[in-house]
Amino acid sequence: MEAADRAEQFIPAGLASLRIEADEVDLAVMSAAHQMFWPAIRALLSLELGDLEPERNPDLSRAPEKA
Amino acid sequence: MNPLDLSLRGQAAAIAAGEANAAELLDATLARIEERNPAINAVVATFPEESRSMLAEAPDGPLRGVPVLIKDEWPLPWRAQRFGAAELLAPTAPGESGPYRALRDAGAVVVGVGNMHELGAGSTGNVSVYGAARNPWDTERCPGGSSSGPAAATAAGLVAGAVGADGLGSVRFPAAYCGLTGLKPTFGRSAMAGHHMEAVTTLIVSGPLCADAADCRLLGSTLFGEELAAGAASGLRIGVVRDTVSEDVTPEVDEACGAAIEALRTETGGEIREIELADLDAATLAGILIINAESLGGVSPERLNDLDPGISPINRGFLKYRMLLPAAAITQAERVRTLMRRRLAALFEEVDVIAWPTIPAVAPPLEAPLVELPSGTQTADQANVRGAALANLTGIPAISVPVGFGSEGLPIALQLQGAWGADELLLDAAEALERANGRRWVDARPPLAQAEPAGA
């Protein structure tokens, strides 16, 4: 319920700010997606990665250069 | 044997040796598609005139005269891709894509376009503007996605090989569900030109779906534009991870994959090493976030307010939800990518391959693509992506190899992942696994592929 409550606030506000229209079915799908992804996104944002900086324009066909 | 039922390399060799007539093979392939496709909805377009023109002009390449299917993800000179959807949110037009050119230059004949999960956004193949594709092993089951049609068509013997695409497992899932071998190449090694996301994607690659590793080597060499030389895979150091990807799987998947890993070790005279690979959940989410962000290029709110009504409700809603993803999470996802690439680079100093199940459970029903796992009931998409995203996120190659059947007669598959550029080693390892189990799983055919046409 808690996650659903957040979705009820977050999704309509986000859509309104971007002027994206949504019907009831859209909102139901988005609510389900939000409940699935949002806790994981919060966990991702909380992941402590120290001072790790992302590779700049990494060549994904090769191993990374040594940090 | 009917040339239609030969392997991809067998068809190529038979034509080269004058033992099979390429024009007759093309006609027979088109007839078989007409005969068997209604049961699986794997092929969404054929174009006999264009296919015959390709054959007439085919150079004397390694696939001369061999019919191949291509996923609805690249344009052909006579047909734009539809991406399995009522509309594509990116500009699209007929043209010579990279995979098309690679096939043409190898002498292959593009015989049709394969169905796919709508917008590439699913691991099951049960949602498509063309209608769901069906699994030849049980037509009430999902064939896997998003390369659903290429896999189902190859498993049902409509063609001996097909070109798919893999952005978060989309070659490996359908290969696993349909009992095929599927290679997700190292990022950047296989032909991608003409894909509507080519300029922005850092995850999607083209890849072959075939019955076995030798056919994947042949079709892969075509897509790579270089020969994928065979080796021995001796003394293979096999890394195994004790984590959700290997443990939250059904007992029959656990048993079959465990036996396959041990068989691979024995066959190669290698060893099994338990390894640590932390933050796999974060890596999975990072892959999902990045591919969703990349696919938003050029998508405006106005565009989303004017979607074709033929787009499925689930993708309509999710397309709009994508717009709300926080930029900070995308940035963090890129940091996770760097973290996992560095960890993998270190791990591949200790092991040659990392092995875990491609899919945690066999193909679920089309009507309700859910899987029952030790952790509980999950959507197949949620469960499948956990084992696939790492390779796309980091760029490493991966291969799915059939290793058994579940109690319902549906295929089970093992995934092997290697270091950047180790595509050849993965094919070698897959061939070693085939030898180890007497080719029992790669030579198995679904009932549909054993059927003879009425009156034959």
Side-chain angles (χ1 to χ4, degrees), chain B residues 320-401:
Chain B
K320 294 175 180 178
Y321 184 72
R322 286 181 193 183
M323 297 290 274
L324 308 183
L325 294 173
I330 310 297
T331 302
Q332 184 79 330
E334 289 291 356
R335 298 175 82 206
V336 169
R337 165 143 53 189
T338 297
L339 176 74
M340 300 311 285
R341 278 170 51 78
R342 288 178 182 162
R343 282 186 181 161
L344 283 174
L347 273 178
F348 284 123
E349 298 286 325
E350 300 170 25
V351 299
D352 301 306
V353 296
I354 299 171
W356 64 53
T358 310
I359 40 155
V362 298
L366 281 164
E367 292 303 315
L370 303 171
V371 292
E372 301 290 339
L373 301 178
S375 63
T377 304
Q378 296 192 37
T379 67
D381 283 347
Q382 273 180 288
N384 288 340
V385 73
R386 297 185 310 206
L390 180 70
N392 302 91
L393 179 72
T394 59
I396 61 171
I399 194 166
S400 180
V401 188

Side-chain angles (χ1 to χ4, degrees), chain B residues 19 102 130 133 138 145 182 210 226 239 266 281 327 339 349 375 408 436 447 453:
Chain B
E19 295 163 1
Y130 308 106
D138 178 345
C210 299
E226 60 178 306
T266 304
D281 286 349
L339 176 74
E349 298 286 325
S375 63
E408 297 167 294

Side-chain angles (χ1 to χ4, degrees), chain B residues 146-227:
Chain B
S146 64
S147 305
S148 53
T154 304
L158 276 54
V159 288
V163 177
D166 192 317
L168 282 179
S170 286
V171 161
R172 289 162 284 162
F173 301 139
Y177 279 179
C178 289
L180 300 173
T181 302
L183 176 67
K184 180 266 169 201
T186 299
F187 184 82
R189 281 195 82 178
S190 57
M192 268 295 285
H195 192 285
H196 52 276
M197 284 177 61
E198 184 207 358
V200 294
T201 188
T202 58
L203 292 98
I204 306 172
V205 292
S206 64
L209 288 131
C210 299
D212 64 12
D215 277 0
C216 278
R217 190 186 298 277
L218 177 57
L219 187 50
S221 295
T222 297
L223 292 172
F224 282 44
E226 60 178 306
E227 186 183 354

Side-chain angles (χ1 to χ4, degrees), chain B residues 43 57 224 243 257-258 340 379 400 441 447 451:
Chain B
V43 180
E57 296 165 13
F224 282 44
D243 202 334
C257 288
M340 300 311 285
T379 67
S400 180
W441 316 122

Side-chain angles (χ1 to χ4, degrees), chain B residues 19 35 80 145 148 191 244 269 296 298 429:
Chain B
E19 295 163 1
E35 170 208 342
S148 53
T244 309
L296 279 175

